[in-house]
């Protein structure tokens, strides 16, 4: 039985443009996607693998249809050592300024706040556009 996270030895049985098929123990087989072959960019799988080559693979996932996804590059990486979580100092948060009117504000108050914020943003956009356009005219 193949399980996720297990590292196994297998043999390359087929190579396609998107990956390589590897036969595993118990008559199973899986796919090593081209992105899981090496830590560096691989444009042609045949430059890294050949039919019949023995490889060490890590079982990355098994989907609902029983297809096994493998990785050569993850099989060669050392497992990270478990780390103890450090006790973090308590973080104090200051209340943020109110950007949105409270639910208790009237509709008119909410509308005024929206219009003020909207006009401010539009003013910034206009001035940025004017600066860009004036720079183009001078460059001609």
């Amino acid at each position: 039985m193949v399980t996720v996270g297990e590292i196994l030895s297998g043999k390359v049985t087929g190579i396609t443009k998107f990956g390589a098929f590897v036969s595993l123990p118990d008559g199973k087989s899986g796919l090593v996607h081209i992105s899981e072959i090496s830590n560096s960019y691989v444009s042609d799988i045949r430059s890294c693998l050949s039919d019949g080559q023995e490889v060490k693979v890590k079982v990355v996932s098994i989907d609902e249809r029983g297809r096994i996804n493998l990785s050569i590059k993850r099989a060669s990486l050392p497992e990270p050592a478990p780390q103890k979580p450090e006790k973090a100092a308590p973080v104090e948060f200051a209340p943020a300024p109110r950007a949105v009117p409270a639910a208790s504000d009237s509709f008119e108050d909410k509308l005024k706040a929206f219009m003020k914020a909207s006009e401010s943003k539009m003013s910034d956009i206009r001035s940025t556009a004017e600066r860009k356009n004036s720079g183009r005219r001078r460059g001609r």
Side-chain angles (χ1 to χ4, degrees):
M1 181 74 181
V2 177
T3 58
V4 174
E6 191 174 10
I7 296 180
L8 305 166
S9 288
K11 185 181 275 191
V12 176
T13 58
I15 296 177
T16 67
K17 64 181 179 179
F18 57 84
F21 290 95
V22 176
S23 66
L24 301 171
D26 299 334
K28 302 273 186 184
S29 67
L31 174 71
V32 179
H33 188 266
I34 190 169
S35 65
E36 292 294 329
I37 290 175
S38 174
N39 286 321
S40 58
Y41 178 75
V42 176
S43 62
D44 180 20
I45 297 171
R46 292 188 187 277
S47 67
C48 299
L49 298 174
S50 59
D51 284 322
Q53 180 179 350
E54 287 285 330
V55 291
K56 187 166 73 167
V57 294
K58 181 173 185 175
V59 180
V60 176
S61 66
I62 303 172
D63 70 10
E64 65 279 349
R65 292 173 48 190
R67 295 182 295 194
I68 302 169
N69 297 309
L70 305 169
S71 173
I72 293 173
K73 71 180 181 183
R74 294 188 206 184
S76 62
L77 295 176
E79 289 293 320
Q83 297 180 356
K84 289 184 179 180
E86 294 180 19
K87 210 167 196 176
V91 178
E92 294 183 26
F93 292 100
R98 205 171 76 168
V100 178
S104 61
D105 290 347
S106 70
F107 174 76
E108 287 80 18
D109 293 337
K110 291 178 184 178
L111 183 59
K112 285 179 189 175
F114 171 78
M115 293 297 288
K116 184 177 178 182
S118 179
E119 183 56 40
S120 173
K121 290 177 185 175
M122 288 302 296
S123 175
D124 289 344
I125 291 170
R126 283 187 205 107
S127 64
T128 301
E130 287 173 6
R131 281 194 307 269
K132 287 182 179 180
N133 288 336
S134 66
R136 288 184 185 144
R137 283 188 217 127
R138 279 188 243 146
R140 288 183 185 176

